[in-house]
């Protein structure tokens, strides 16, 4: 039961953080979903870092790991928003922005996971 409460509280904090981050980041771009890209990049980096840090149990307990990865990052990242916004860009006639959104989110988020892993392995 404690684990479920920890994951739920992490999800709550992640969802609120996503809302605030996206609102702020989108204020810099009128048509491109910059906030979604930002949370996907940050969430991917954090998951890469924490996912590889957990290989070293002295750094983080399994309950805290699940609170952060399943709860916070799960509530923070927005792949469903990414998909919806990409389709919306296409429907509005912005095919080039839709393609750019796909490429940036996929390539940069994969790079962010690699960067998070590299940092975790460097810290060993």
């Amino acid at each position: 039961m404690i684990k479920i409460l920890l994951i739920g509280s992490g999800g709550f904090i992640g969802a609120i953080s996503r809302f605030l981050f996206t609102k702020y980041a989108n204020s810099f771009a009128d048509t491109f979903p910059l906030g979604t890209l930002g949370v996907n990049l940050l969430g991917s980096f954090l998951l890469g870092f924490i996912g590889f840090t957990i290989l070293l149990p002295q750094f983080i307990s399994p309950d805290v790991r699940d609170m952060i990865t399943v709860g916070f990052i799960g509530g923070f990242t927005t792949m469903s928003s990414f998909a919806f916004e990409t389709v919306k860009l296409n429907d509005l006639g912005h095919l080039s922005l839709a393609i750019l959104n796909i490429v940036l989110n996929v390539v940069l988020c994969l790079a962010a996971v690699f960067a998070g892993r590299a940092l975790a392995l460097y810290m060993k």
Side-chain angles (χ1 to χ4, degrees):
M1 184 64 166
I2 295 294
K3 183 177 272 234
I4 291 171
L5 291 173
L6 286 171
I7 291 170
S9 63
F12 173 78
I13 295 166
I16 299 300
S17 298
R18 177 183 68 219
F19 171 76
L20 295 172
F21 183 98
T22 301
K23 185 173 179 153
Y24 177 73
N26 283 346
S27 69
F28 295 102
D30 290 336
T31 57
F32 190 79
L34 191 60
T36 299
L37 175 62
V39 296
N40 285 339
L41 278 170
L42 183 57
S44 296
F45 175 81
L46 290 172
L47 191 56
F49 176 71
I50 293 165
F52 286 95
T53 301
I54 63 166
L55 297 176
L56 307 169
Q58 70 269 24
F59 282 122
I60 192 167
S61 75
D63 286 343
V64 172
R65 177 203 63 211
D66 289 344
M67 181 181 137
I68 295 169
T69 58
V70 178
F72 178 78
I73 295 172
F76 185 68
T77 57
T78 55
M79 289 306 290
S80 58
S81 295
F82 153 71
F84 177 81
E85 290 169 344
T86 301
V87 170
K88 189 174 166 186
L89 284 170
N90 181 63
D91 289 349
L92 293 171
H94 300 295
L95 179 60
S96 59
L97 286 178
I99 292 169
L100 178 66
N101 195 35
I102 292 167
V103 170
L104 288 176
N105 271 282
V106 172
V107 172
L108 293 177
C109 287
L110 286 171
V113 169
F114 279 112
R117 177 183 69 175
L119 179 60
L121 295 175
Y122 174 78
M123 292 175 59
K124 276 188 176 181

